[in-house]
Amino acid sequence: MSKTNFGKHSDFVVKQENPFNASPPVKLLGRSSVTPTELFFVRSHGDVPMVNVDGYRLAVNGNVSKSLSLSLNELKNNFERVEVSATLQCAGNRREELIAVQPIPHELPWGVEAISHAAWVGVRLRDVLAAAGVDSEASLHQHVDFGGLDEAERLNTRFNFGGSIPLTKALNAEVILAYEMNGEPLMPAHGFPLRALVPGFIGARSVKWLERITVQDEPSQNYFQRHAYRLFAPQIGPETVNWDEGIMLSEMNVTSVICSHVEEEQVASGVVTVQGYSIAGGGRDVMRVDVSCDGGESWTAAKLLNDAGPWAWTLWKLELELKPGKYQLVVRAVDSAINSQSAEVAQVWNFKGYMNNAWHRVNIIVE
Ligand code: MTE
């Protein structure tokens, strides 16, 4: 294990040392419905802060009748402990495929592995908001803004990472302030001592090293809500962008990925087991995963392997009998709102490289 990998698996693939961004090798991803913490991907925009829990306080302020300042122990002792099984996925997952269509400068070229699943423990955000006297009946149009302790630098300015979610989402039982992940206190790289966990939403809203929660009338003015993590039309680029026109990303879209094979892999003829993950955002379920071995001409439904609830990815598997030759494996999924995926990556290209949910294709050679 190298010193710089924050206690992660020795095979963890470091995409960027500083800030630390890393992910598991694709073949180790999705082997079990819970990702071992040492393999859970890390996405950070600034240095990982090493927080001394003795001096740590969480501030709750803004449109509240009683501002709060809570230590970690006060949070643990004063609010009900709950567990949520949830998958986190970065909006930039699968950007590498978009980059192959047209370059996307200054953004991380994630493969298919900016996604992982954990069992999280913490307290319900809505219980903390209730303690601060948030009047949910009167103020459902509001937003809950999260501020992190880490600093990022953009547009020649240093500022803390942040982002917000609508109050309507914040009041749902699945949204928690998490202090444990897979039975252990959060690792520093995952937000020790406390992070927001917003299942069903893009990972950016699950703010790590949480320092402040502000209830406010507007979405967050933080760079990572106001500029980044917005979806723009394909014709928009850095020169023509009007940042206010992008769609502020919140719920994930349905996607599916092959993890068992990599591009141009050579495999033995006979039974070839194709495996991977699929996820539907916003609490929707993955209803069907189709796999093709002929580039999308014909399809067979894969077996869905786990049912870990609405906030979890679905792992899937299909055994194919393949003779020697060249094959293009393809996967696509349908969710419970009958959302499906675009056939071509070019159809979902956008200049920030978010939300790529095109059919995932892997060419293999069977010998
Ligand atoms: N929170 C803070 N404070 N700083 C960050 O850089 N990155 C966000 C989110 N929360 C980030 C953050 C993004 S983009 C993602 S995808 C998830 O954290 C990743 O969480 P993980 O590193 O625990 O996998």
Side-chain angles (χ1 to χ4, degrees):
M1 190 194 304
S2 91
K3 273 191 182 155
T4 52
N5 85 350
F6 292 94
K8 290 290 184 172
H9 195 278
S10 53
D11 292 339
F12 214 47
V13 182
V14 177
K15 297 254 174 210
Q16 200 179 22
E17 292 277 353
N18 195 7
F20 185 63
N21 284 296
S23 53
V26 64
K27 292 220 174 184
L28 294 185
L29 188 66
R31 288 218 176 152
S32 56
S33 60
V34 172
T35 314
T37 306
E38 59 170 6
L39 285 172
F40 199 105
F41 85 103
V42 176
R43 174 67 176 119
S44 36
H45 294 81
D47 289 345
V48 170
M50 294 297 167
V51 181
N52 178 354
V53 74
D54 295 335
Y56 172 78
R57 314 290 297 182
L58 171 71
V60 185
N61 55 31
N63 298 340
V64 299
S65 56
K66 186 179 164 212
S67 295
L68 305 175
S69 167
L70 299 162
S71 69
L72 188 63
N73 273 338
E74 284 167 343
L75 260 175
K76 288 182 177 176
N77 296 334
N78 299 347
F79 298 95
E80 187 187 345
R81 176 187 163 94
V82 292
E83 182 171 325
V84 175
S85 183
T87 303
L88 264 191
Q89 180 179 222
C90 187
N93 195 25
R94 303 184 58 195
R95 183 178 287 126
E96 204 173 37
E97 298 160 63
L98 296 169
I99 291 172
V101 173
Q102 204 181 313
I104 301 178
H106 315 303
E107 299 287 347
L108 278 176
W110 290 111
V112 298
E113 64 299 311
I115 183 170
S116 299
H117 182 94
W120 308 88
V121 165
V123 301
R124 285 190 199 98
L125 175 57
R126 73 177 179 202
D127 293 351
V128 175
L129 293 177
V134 171
D135 182 354
S136 52
E137 293 296 311
S139 48
L140 275 177
H141 63 282
Q142 297 190 85
H143 298 263
V144 177
D145 185 28
F146 303 118
L149 282 161
D150 55 330
E151 285 193 348
E153 187 170 336
R154 294 288 189 283
L155 309 172
N156 296 323
T157 316
R158 284 190 75 75
F159 56 91
N160 296 94
F161 183 92
S164 66
I165 59 172
L167 182 60
T168 44
K169 174 71 176 177
L171 295 174
N172 288 351
E174 74 273 7
V175 181
I176 65 169
L177 307 179
Y179 49 78
E180 278 179 23
M181 178 180 178
N182 294 339
E184 301 284 341
L186 292 176
M187 276 181 146
H190 292 296
F192 179 84
L194 192 73
R195 75 179 300 166
L197 181 79
V198 187
F201 274 35
I202 60 161
R205 309 304 178 221
S206 289
V207 174
K208 303 190 274 190
W209 312 291
L210 189 63
E211 181 191 31
R212 175 190 52 77
I213 298 174
T214 306
V215 182
Q216 56 191 45
D217 296 335
E218 304 288 336
S220 176
Q221 289 298 306
N222 191 280
Y223 174 91
F224 292 101
Q225 183 108 16
R226 199 153 147 48
H227 289 75
Y229 298 108
R230 284 187 181 237
L231 190 72
F232 292 92
Q235 71 276 14
I236 305 296
E239 301 80 21
T240 54
V241 65
N242 171 352
W243 293 105
D244 292 332
E245 283 175 0
I247 302 168
M248 218 175 256
L249 296 175
S250 52
E251 290 183 355
M252 290 182 285
N253 50 1
V254 62
T255 191
S256 49
V257 158
I258 296 162
C259 298
S260 51
H261 295 84
V262 293
E263 191 61 13
E264 298 297 329
E265 186 171 333
Q266 297 178 0
V267 298
S269 60
V271 176
V272 175
T273 304
V274 187
Q275 278 184 282
Y277 68 79
S278 178
I279 187 164
R284 293 173 288 276
D285 290 320
V286 171
M287 301 306 286
R288 204 184 68 220
V289 174
D290 299 323
V291 176
S292 169
C293 63
D294 53 13
E297 290 294 314
S298 61
W299 300 90
T300 308
K303 184 166 187 233
L304 308 187
L305 300 178
N306 63 322
D307 181 12
W311 312 113
W313 58 6
T314 297
L315 304 184
W316 55 264
K317 176 177 170 174
L318 181 70
E319 290 184 347
L320 294 168
E321 183 76 41
L322 297 181
K323 297 195 178 88
K326 289 188 168 186
Y327 295 85
Q328 185 177 73
L329 302 175
V330 193
V331 65
R332 66 178 188 195
V334 178
D335 75 11
S336 47
I338 318 299
N339 294 310
S340 57
Q341 304 179 224
S342 293
E344 302 296 337
V345 178
Q347 292 167 343
V348 295
W349 191 91
N350 60 96
F351 89 101
K352 294 286 288 176
Y354 298 132
M355 309 299 270
N356 174 16
N357 73 336
W359 297 357
H360 186 226
R361 298 168 188 268
V362 179
N363 294 293
I364 60 166
I365 301 137
V366 177
E367 295 175 320

